[in-house]
Amino acid sequence: MRPMLLGEMTPETLMEELGTSPSKALAARRLAQLGMPTRKSEAYRYFDIEPLMAHDWEILRNEASAEIAESEEQIVITDGRVTALPKGVEVQVGCSDAIDLDGNHFDPLYYLGHLLSPEVISIRFKEDAKVTLVHRFTQPGKLLAYRTAIYLDANTHVQIDERFEGEQACGALILSGSDVFISRDATLTLIKDETLKEGDYVPILSHRIKVDSQALCRLHSFDFGAGSGLQLIRVQLHEHARIDADHLLYATDHARRGTVSQIVHIGQSSVSNQRAKNILAEKARGIFDALIKVEHTGKYTKAHQNSKAILLNDGAYMASKPQLEIYIDDLEASHGSTTGQLDEAQLFYLRSRGIAKEEARKMLILAFANELIDALEDERMRERLHASFETAYWGVTNVTCMETCHGCEDLAAGTAAK
Amino acid sequence: MSNVVMEIENLHARIGAKEILKGLNLQLEEGKVHAIMGPNGAGKSTLSKAITGHYDVEVTEGAIRYKGQEIVDWEPEDRALEGIFLSFQNPVEIPGVNNAYFLRTAVNAKRKHQGLEELNAAEFLREMKALVQELGMKPEMINRSLNEGFSGGEKKRNEILQMMMLQPDLIILDEIDSGLDIDALRAVSEGINKMKDGKRSFLVITHYSRILDYIEPDYIHVLKDGKIIKTAGPELVAELEEKGYGAIEEA
Ligand SMILES: Nc1ncnc2c1ncn2[C@@H]1O[C@H](COP(=O)(O)OP(=O)(O)OP(=O)(O)O)[C@@H](O)[C@H]1O
Ligand SMILES: [Mg+2]
């Protein structure tokens, strides 16, 4: 395929290029309505999308690998192709016609991603599972587009630990993301951990998450480092459905990084709880541009949204826009946003006990981040994310048991009893 | 006269544009308990902040010499590492910082500074646990966030716990007795008395004679309008209680 200037593409030329199918036609129509992203696009108003759109991309095309390794608990997708699978997880690779596209996504690149993806990697969970989903990128400087779809059958409880490996893919643009379908009474815990260095690939991850009646989605995103990237998430909540979404961002250098989201309460008595914590250093810009929308049908909804940011340097900046759009009266809703510096009184207290300034700052930053790390139920995940955060912030990790576990009380009690 | 551990000379200090300390002179002796009394707003807490290097307070004139060295330009952590400890009038809450982790970091920073080996988690917890019990604190305090949601009295006990773990040389107690119930006052006073070793010095800021009954000061200083206006023995307490600060004239 010839190189593509995304900014100059039209849905028509894309259709010509890519052939037609019903879901591609829908994607093309929606893309035409939304238009290719520019500086003026709602979804990208705080993210510097234009250089990416103006770049002459070579699209990465991989042949399906014949070899799919069997793994313990990892699903590995390398450059958009499944390369390893655990036993018992059903994965189908098929064209995007097989999936039910979101006809109302706000993100044009959700549709462009679908248009450019040769097929969709569908992962279906029929029973409870804990898996690791590794996205591996190996090709520098190219555009990689692929989509995944995740299905949870009714009543299943699944934890997905999503990781990214892309040291070799510097300068690449990744247009990806998942269409997630959580059936009745099912629970999905999705933990995303992505640390980017400056010059790494740029991920634009565009998701849609459909939470059926009485189903629960727990979303924990951990975005760290000096590289740029954006996650765009549209959530649909049906009757008695619930989402708890936590976003911890630590961005430094010239990173532009964050979350653009839309949570739509469709069914009554649905619940959303979204918390963002943002730590911004050097000249980084954090983005939390989040809308909660309660439809006429969303009676007795509870919707809470909060964003807190700490700016560690004068050049750091937080674009925080929590918004509520409500079409009914019968609901409980709140939203708020604060941006500030490290608390001087707290810093002084620690230093007055002999703790060096840098160490004291680190303790306070960790304390700020801890709330969202400690919200992870899985203790091993908590430890891993503590270590990830420390490594991103400090360069090394020396997480000790006292920072992460709460078993020390037992230890203290045990040793004192002797 | 014993050795002087701290000598404050003609100290002028301000908070913002307002001069609070206006030429304060004070000598603290090794191994002695000095009490400071004085009306609200006189500058007592400001003095404790000036000694510990608080960011609010700007020293504009005068000197603070500690163990013979001028410390006005020292960082707060260096003052602490050299043995100065302040029990705050209002200790801040720090959500998300585990109490034990915080205190171990502080203790080990000090041990490192003294060239001692750091305490491991188990050794440290054993000591902390014993002191927590001694001070009548709930064991759960060990793993709570630092001061978060602690009652007034619990915060004060936590300050004393830190003092006992850190073993400082000059201890400033800013209204350690306010908000304490009778049992807490006794536990805290006993903790302080245990720290007396003939070398260690105390500066006790208080409004009440009660704590002074327990910890028996050697000197009483009256701080009024940014200056020490009178220094005397413990007998001054009764006189102050009777007549108030208005009757004390600048010497
Ligand atoms: N951060 C500040 N900004 C402005 N003024 C301040 C600040 N801190 C203290 N002051 C003022 O400085 C003066 C001295 O305050 P300080 O706290 O030292 O008094 P104090 O003697 O400790 O009183 P108390 O017995 O009530 O504790 C007061 O007039 C107070 O209002
Ligand atoms: Mg005071």
Side-chain angles (χ1 to χ4, degrees):
Chain A
M1 184 178 286
R2 63 179 177 74
M4 298 180 85
L5 277 166
L6 295 178
E8 290 174 6
M9 299 305 293
T10 64
E12 291 73 35
T13 55
L14 273 167
M15 297 285 286
E16 251 167 55
E17 194 97 22
L18 303 162
T20 45
S21 70
S23 76
K24 291 232 150 109
L26 169 62
R29 212 170 48 242
R30 286 287 297 144
L31 182 58
Q33 284 165 359
L34 293 165
M36 281 288 185
T38 65
R39 188 182 317 133
K40 296 198 182 95
S41 309
E42 274 285 293
Y44 293 92
R45 55 185 164 162
Y46 301 113
F47 188 81
D48 202 11
I49 194 74
E50 283 187 342
L52 294 173
M53 302 308 292
H55 188 84
D56 203 359
W57 291 105
E58 180 185 342
I59 297 191
L60 180 61
R61 286 273 177 257
N62 273 347
E63 291 314 309
S65 63
E67 293 286 297
I68 295 184
E70 193 174 289
S71 67
E72 277 291 313
E73 52 177 25
Q74 289 199 335
I75 303 172
V76 181
I77 302 175
T78 306
D79 296 326
R81 296 284 175 181
V82 177
T83 52
L85 271 184
K87 263 199 273 191
V89 175
E90 189 184 301
V91 173
Q92 288 168 354
V93 179
C95 73
S96 44
D97 274 341
I99 84 153
D100 168 25
L101 278 192
D102 182 349
N104 291 301
H105 208 293
F106 60 89
D107 176 18
L109 295 187
Y110 169 81
Y111 295 108
L112 183 64
H114 271 288
L115 282 170
L116 294 178
S117 298
E119 65 242 331
V120 175
I121 299 164
S122 298
I123 304 166
R124 179 176 205 121
F125 294 93
K126 294 180 168 168
E127 50 195 60
D128 296 1
K130 259 190 186 185
V131 297
T132 301
L133 176 56
V134 181
H135 300 269
R136 191 171 290 155
F137 313 124
T138 67
Q139 303 294 314
K142 294 183 183 165
L143 166 63
L144 171 64
Y146 70 100
R147 299 284 314 173
T148 51
I150 295 168
Y151 296 90
L152 266 68
D153 283 0
N155 255 310
T156 54
H157 305 283
V158 173
Q159 174 178 304
I160 301 176
D161 160 15
E162 200 175 24
R163 305 184 196 176
F164 297 79
E165 297 172 3
E167 299 79 25
Q168 306 152 45
C170 45
L173 171 62
I174 312 292
L175 288 186
S176 186
S178 298
D179 288 82
V180 181
F181 302 89
I182 309 175
S183 306
R184 284 185 75 91
D185 298 301
T187 306
L188 173 65
T189 304
L190 184 63
I191 304 157
K192 171 205 181 196
D193 175 11
E194 190 174 34
T195 295
L196 294 173
K197 295 188 302 297
E198 194 163 9
D200 270 1
Y201 65 95
V202 177
I204 307 283
L205 304 178
S206 196
H207 309 289
R208 74 75 77 86
I209 303 175
K210 185 163 178 268
V211 192
D212 266 351
S213 303
Q214 299 179 64
L216 167 63
C217 179
R218 293 196 200 100
L219 190 63
H220 304 265
S221 66
F222 298 95
D223 293 310
F224 304 148
S228 291
L230 201 62
Q231 58 179 358
L232 305 104
I233 308 169
R234 191 174 124 88
V235 180
Q236 296 152 293
L237 295 172
H238 292 272
E239 235 175 80
H240 293 279
R242 174 182 180 118
I243 184 161
D244 293 323
D246 284 351
H247 312 288
L248 179 61
L249 173 68
Y250 165 64
T252 183
D253 290 352
H254 293 272
R256 291 197 175 192
R257 194 91 185 267
T259 301
V260 180
S261 69
Q262 212 179 76
I263 296 176
V264 187
H265 290 260
I266 299 167
Q268 61 178 33
S269 304
S270 49
V271 178
S272 66
N273 217 324
Q274 191 175 27
R275 301 186 292 182
K277 285 201 162 186
N278 312 280
I279 302 159
L280 301 161
E282 308 301 337
K283 299 212 174 317
R285 169 185 287 197
I287 300 165
F288 180 67
D289 190 356
L291 171 71
I292 292 185
K293 192 168 165 185
V294 182
E295 303 276 20
H296 299 92
T297 45
K299 265 193 228 162
Y300 317 122
T301 283
K302 287 185 187 165
H304 298 284
Q305 190 184 44
N306 190 284
S307 164
K308 291 186 183 144
I310 289 186
L311 308 180
L312 299 178
N313 302 85
D314 289 344
Y317 177 75
M318 180 68 207
S320 178
K321 289 279 174 301
Q323 304 150 74
L324 282 170
E325 191 180 313
I326 296 170
Y327 294 98
I328 52 161
D329 300 328
D330 260 336
L331 85 171
E332 178 190 310
S334 71
H335 69 156
S337 163
T338 57
T339 298
Q341 273 92 42
L342 284 181
D343 186 296
E344 260 198 305
Q346 293 179 343
L347 200 58
F348 179 73
Y349 188 90
L350 298 176
R351 295 177 72 193
S352 79
R353 298 307 184 234
I355 298 171
K357 189 174 176 185
E358 273 316 303
E359 180 76 17
R361 281 171 65 91
K362 178 194 155 198
M363 282 173 87
L364 294 180
I365 291 162
L366 276 175
F368 179 78
N370 271 351
E371 191 190 358
L372 296 194
I373 298 176
D374 287 343
L376 292 167
E377 266 179 13
D378 187 316
E379 180 165 340
R380 271 176 46 212
M381 290 302 295
R382 274 206 302 274
E383 256 169 60
R384 235 217 27 239
L385 266 307
H386 269 286
S388 263
F389 179 74
E390 280 226 347
T391 312
Y393 176 72
W394 205 239
V396 289
T397 173
N398 53 357
V399 172
T400 63
C401 117
M402 272 205 261
E403 279 167 287
T404 56
C405 91
H406 301 284
C408 295
E409 209 163 339
D410 310 333
L411 175 61
T415 48
K418 274 176 211 152
Chain B
M1 191 171 118
S2 1
N3 290 330
V4 172
V5 65
M6 179 167 280
E7 186 173 32
I8 300 174
E9 215 176 75
N10 186 34
L11 187 68
H12 290 258
R14 60 185 186 200
I15 294 182
K18 191 174 164 198
E19 179 158 75
I20 312 285
L21 302 181
K22 304 168 181 172
L24 182 142
N25 293 295
L26 180 65
Q27 288 198 346
L28 303 177
E29 293 175 15
E30 198 173 271
K32 294 289 184 334
V33 177
H34 295 255
I36 290 195
M37 304 185 81
N40 294 132
K44 302 182 296 298
S45 293
T46 304
L47 173 63
S48 72
K49 287 177 177 173
I51 296 173
T52 50
H54 192 277
Y55 55 90
D56 267 351
V57 179
E58 189 196 343
V59 172
T60 51
E61 207 185 321
I64 305 175
R65 275 186 293 276
Y66 172 66
K67 297 180 179 172
Q69 286 183 281
E70 167 63 85
I71 62 166
V72 167
D73 292 331
W74 287 18
E75 298 294 339
E77 55 267 42
D78 295 329
R79 304 183 198 208
L81 291 172
E82 287 296 328
I84 297 176
F85 178 90
L86 168 63
S87 162
F88 288 82
Q89 183 170 354
N90 301 303
V92 295
E93 303 194 359
I94 312 191
V97 171
N98 172 288
N99 204 13
Y101 174 66
F102 149 71
L103 192 47
R104 186 160 77 103
T105 307
V107 166
N108 279 338
K110 172 124 190 212
R111 290 181 68 92
K112 201 170 158 195
H113 182 72
Q114 293 171 319
L116 298 171
E117 216 168 288
E118 296 188 6
L119 291 182
N120 68 37
E123 291 167 328
F124 170 82
L125 280 167
R126 201 176 304 124
E127 272 189 44
M128 180 169 176
K129 175 90 186 176
L131 287 175
V132 159
Q133 210 160 23
E134 204 174 304
L135 288 167
M137 294 167 72
K138 295 187 206 118
E140 65 177 66
M141 298 290 171
I142 294 177
N143 273 307
R144 291 254 299 265
S145 279
L146 179 49
N147 291 331
E148 189 190 20
F150 286 27
S151 73
E154 287 168 344
K155 283 181 186 162
K156 294 298 170 78
R157 290 191 216 212
N158 205 35
E159 297 287 287
I160 295 301
L161 171 69
Q162 292 169 31
M163 171 192 83
M164 294 176 85
M165 292 290 301
L166 287 166
Q167 297 278 311
D169 302 329
L170 172 60
I171 295 165
I172 306 162
L173 302 162
D174 192 355
E175 298 198 22
I176 188 67
D177 49 343
S178 68
L180 291 187
D181 65 35
I182 302 161
D183 293 338
L185 185 61
R186 187 177 307 117
V188 161
S189 304
E190 277 167 9
I192 295 167
N193 282 336
K194 254 183 74 178
M195 296 285 289
K196 289 187 190 167
D197 65 354
K199 295 273 296 170
R200 203 166 267 138
S201 313
F202 296 82
L203 181 62
V204 183
I205 299 170
T206 184
H207 290 293
Y208 308 104
S209 59
R210 180 143 203 162
I211 189 165
L212 301 178
D213 293 341
Y214 283 109
I215 59 180
E216 299 176 1
D218 299 286
Y219 299 99
I220 308 291
H221 309 274
V222 178
L223 199 166
K224 202 174 150 186
D225 197 21
K227 287 182 195 158
I228 300 291
I229 57 163
K230 187 168 178 120
T231 292
E235 69 285 350
L236 181 61
V237 179
E239 192 187 326
L240 287 172
E241 293 241 301
E242 196 184 318
K243 298 185 186 156
Y245 296 115
I248 306 285
E249 288 307 314
E250 199 159 335

